[in-house]
Amino acid sequence: MARKLNDKQALRKYSLEQIQRYRSCFGTDDGKWVLADLQQEFADRTSFDPTNQYATAFWEGQRHVLLAIQARLKFETKPLIEEILKNEEAE
């Protein structure tokens, strides 16, 4: 299970431009369709195979990519914008 980033960790990991680009790509009707398709393909099934650790790792890697995209789309940009403005004022 992916751990949730706190605001300070997220500020270091994501940039406002990065988040906006993900939203621009996946915020369209086509992008939403692609996300739904990826969800069905990689997240709506188990990634665990008790007989094959390599298959489990492979499938979990696919699932992780989808979760990373979803995390960027759900990220609250307000704290990031406030931090950018605060840094600009300090300069």
Side-chain angles (χ1 to χ4, degrees):
M1 184 160 165
R3 67 183 177 90
K4 188 169 175 82
L5 298 176
N6 65 39
D7 285 343
K8 290 203 180 272
Q9 291 169 322
L11 287 173
R12 286 192 296 267
K13 187 167 182 171
Y14 304 132
S15 72
L16 183 59
E17 180 182 6
Q18 180 185 30
I19 293 165
Q20 288 173 330
R21 287 178 184 256
Y22 273 84
R23 287 184 178 167
S24 174
C25 180
F26 292 105
T28 65
D29 287 341
D30 287 341
K32 290 174 185 175
W33 185 93
V34 168
L35 275 178
D37 185 55
L38 292 173
Q39 175 80 31
Q40 183 179 11
E41 180 73 22
F42 301 120
D44 290 347
R45 61 165 165 73
T46 183
S47 57
F48 179 67
D49 181 346
T51 64
N52 188 336
Q53 67 183 358
Y54 301 106
T56 297
F58 180 76
W59 292 332
E60 188 58 25
Q62 292 175 329
R63 184 177 159 273
H64 179 74
V65 170
L66 176 62
L67 293 175
I69 292 168
Q70 290 173 333
R72 284 162 179 80
L73 295 173
K74 292 178 182 175
F75 183 72
E76 176 59 49
T77 57
K78 185 177 179 184
L80 184 57
I81 293 169
E82 289 172 353
E83 183 71 18
I84 291 169
L85 293 174
K86 188 170 99 177
N87 288 340
E88 286 178 357
E89 289 174 2
E91 293 177 355

